[in-house]
Amino acid sequence: MDKNEFLKAFADQFDETEPALITLDTKFKELEEWSSMVALMIIAMADENYNKKITGADLRESDTIGQLYERISSR
Amino acid sequence: MDQNSPFSLSGKIFVVAGASSGIGLSIAKAVVQCGGKVIGIARREEKLREMVAELGEGNASYIKADLTKDEDIQRAVDMLPEINGYVHAAGILLHQPLKFIKRELLDQVMNANYYSAVLTLSELVKRKKIRRNLYSSIVLISSISNQVGSKSLLAYSSSKGAMSAAARVIASELAIQKIRVNTLEPAMVMTDIAAQASEVHSAEALAKDAAAYPFGYGLPEDIAYCTVFLLSDASKWITAQTLTLDGGWRTIV
């Protein structure tokens, strides 16, 4: 599981947000476009691309995309 | 309950598919509570044993079967005596946004929620296992998701829509035998399946959702008591109907 690939796949779930605004340090829940729908897409993306289950707790307890990556990549 | 009451299920036998947990288990309990006998069908034998232990061997029995498999449907129906009704409360719920939908996932959900119900009913009717000319009753537990668009519930909602549509057709075909078919479409009911929602939605979003229910989220028994009514002779003039159970969520503003 490559960190930059994950970041790109994460950014792909957004339609309106400039990709440049989405980095590993981005606090993703503060993005204007963040919504329950985007959360569902992130969960589905991680499952499809990496066979990793992201839970509500993972999203709740991660502030940045990098933190989310660290939480799930070790599983 | 007075066994002569039209609401009583005394002297009757009902099959409940999905009786090992959630709404199905609650229906099994309510059937016995109202004087009926129940035969539970599910995949998890341990849970079925617990159900029988709780309800008593004189009132409840079980058949371990996976109704997504044709051979299990055949075997289960073979084992059944003549029954007064059937409740289909088995199924799965998977969240998947449109962009990530795959044929395999659609097949899985349709098989668990829709094919299982229709193919089981087909066998029951083919082998004349449901008593005729006595207002026998079939109740399918569908979902309000068939009426509204909930994000990521595409496969689940479609399967329940198919189930609700099938129920009207089956009601029409079985009317000549005085076998009734009705559908319940519950909104959010607090079960293990519903608990999955907390895995994908924030607590804040769920609290906001719950606040939109004038009577709060439903409990499994709210569905079970309504099912018992539809199984009983008290509802003998009701067939081919869909009843929404939502504590006022859809209609009260």
Side-chain angles (χ1 to χ4, degrees), chain A residues 9-49:
Chain A
F10 193 104
D12 276 348
Q13 307 315 316
F14 291 81
D15 292 319
E16 309 296 334
T17 309
E18 276 289 319
L21 289 175
I22 302 177
T23 70
L24 288 168
D25 296 324
T26 298
K27 293 183 172 174
F28 56 90
K29 284 171 281 186
E30 293 178 7
L31 291 167
E32 199 178 335
E33 200 187 334
W34 179 256
S35 67
S36 63
M37 190 63 216
V38 177
L40 289 164
M41 307 269 249
I42 300 294
I43 291 168
M45 176 277 290
D47 189 32
E48 179 168 297
N49 293 8

Side-chain angles (χ1 to χ4, degrees), chain B residues 166-218:
Chain B
R168 289 185 285 273
V169 176
I170 298 168
S172 176
E173 291 191 10
L174 300 187
I176 189 82
Q177 301 178 33
K178 299 283 192 297
I179 296 172
R180 304 178 295 116
V181 184
N182 294 289
T183 313
L184 296 181
E185 296 192 346
M188 187 69 145
V189 177
M190 296 314 292
T191 63
D192 290 345
I193 282 185
Q196 289 175 17
S198 63
E199 287 297 304
V200 290
H201 297 293
S202 68
E204 189 186 20
L206 285 175
K208 194 175 160 199
D209 186 55
Y213 282 68
F215 287 13
Y217 283 160

Side-chain angles (χ1 to χ4, degrees), chain B residues 85-128:
Chain B
Y86 173 82
V87 180
H88 194 88
I92 58 171
L93 186 154
L94 294 178
H95 290 267
Q96 197 75 310
L98 172 66
K99 223 168 83 174
F100 293 91
I101 284 287
K102 296 279 187 294
R103 183 178 298 276
E104 187 187 358
L105 180 128
L106 287 173
D107 282 345
Q108 183 189 358
V109 176
M110 288 302 278
N111 197 15
N113 295 354
Y114 171 66
Y115 295 166
S116 61
V118 170
L119 294 172
T120 303
L121 284 172
S122 174
E123 281 302 313
L124 286 169
V125 171
K126 197 185 301 172
R127 300 203 218 166
K128 299 182 167 50

Side-chain angles (χ1 to χ4, degrees), chain B:
Chain B
M1 182 187 289
D2 175 356
Q3 63 179 28
N4 294 318
S5 162
F7 293 90
S8 168
L9 302 182
S10 182
K12 295 182 174 179
I13 303 173
F14 299 95
V15 171
V16 178
S20 59
S21 64
I23 289 172
L25 176 59
S26 193
I27 290 170
K29 290 178 184 176
V31 164
V32 171
Q33 195 181 355
C34 295
K37 293 190 191 307
V38 71
I39 301 169
I41 297 180
R43 288 171 299 180
R44 293 176 292 175
E45 191 164 19
E46 191 52 40
K47 293 278 180 189
L48 288 164
R49 278 208 195 102
E50 286 170 20
M51 185 266 296
V52 171
E54 183 177 343
L55 298 178
E57 286 184 7
N59 299 317
S61 59
Y62 74 84
I63 298 170
K64 177 184 184 297
D66 178 352
L67 298 180
T68 65
K69 296 178 176 153
D70 288 346
E71 60 272 25
D72 277 27
I73 292 176
Q74 300 273 346
R75 182 175 52 78
V77 173
D78 272 345
M79 292 170 72
L80 290 175
E82 203 176 35
I83 58 175
N84 296 86
Y86 173 82
V87 180
H88 194 88
I92 58 171
L93 186 154
L94 294 178
H95 290 267
Q96 197 75 310
L98 172 66
K99 223 168 83 174
F100 293 91
I101 284 287
K102 296 279 187 294
R103 183 178 298 276
E104 187 187 358
L105 180 128
L106 287 173
D107 282 345
Q108 183 189 358
V109 176
M110 288 302 278
N111 197 15
N113 295 354
Y114 171 66
Y115 295 166
S116 61
V118 170
L119 294 172
T120 303
L121 284 172
S122 174
E123 281 302 313
L124 286 169
V125 171
K126 197 185 301 172
R127 300 203 218 166
K128 299 182 167 50
K129 291 281 185 173
I130 304 174
R131 300 188 74 177
R132 284 158 288 158
N133 303 313
L134 282 168
Y135 303 103
S136 293
S137 173
I138 293 163
V139 179
L140 304 182
I141 308 300
S142 182
S143 165
I144 201 168
S145 67
N146 158 49
Q147 304 174 31
V148 298
S150 297
K151 290 169 190 155
S152 83
L153 286 186
L154 193 157
Y156 179 78
S157 304
S158 305
S159 70
K160 294 298 192 179
M163 174 191 259
S164 292
R168 289 185 285 273
V169 176
I170 298 168
S172 176
E173 291 191 10
L174 300 187
I176 189 82
Q177 301 178 33
K178 299 283 192 297
I179 296 172
R180 304 178 295 116
V181 184
N182 294 289
T183 313
L184 296 181
E185 296 192 346
M188 187 69 145
V189 177
M190 296 314 292
T191 63
D192 290 345
I193 282 185
Q196 289 175 17
S198 63
E199 287 297 304
V200 290
H201 297 293
S202 68
E204 189 186 20
L206 285 175
K208 194 175 160 199
D209 186 55
Y213 282 68
F215 287 13
Y217 283 160
L219 297 172
E221 65 252 36
D222 295 323
I223 314 308
Y225 299 150
C226 198
T227 304
V228 162
F229 166 66
L230 288 174
L231 293 176
S232 77
D233 286 351
S235 63
K236 68 184 171 62
W237 210 43
I238 301 177
T239 192
Q241 298 301 307
T242 293
L243 185 55
T244 300
L245 301 175
D246 68 353
W249 175 63
R250 283 267 283 145
T251 317
I252 294 175
V253 290

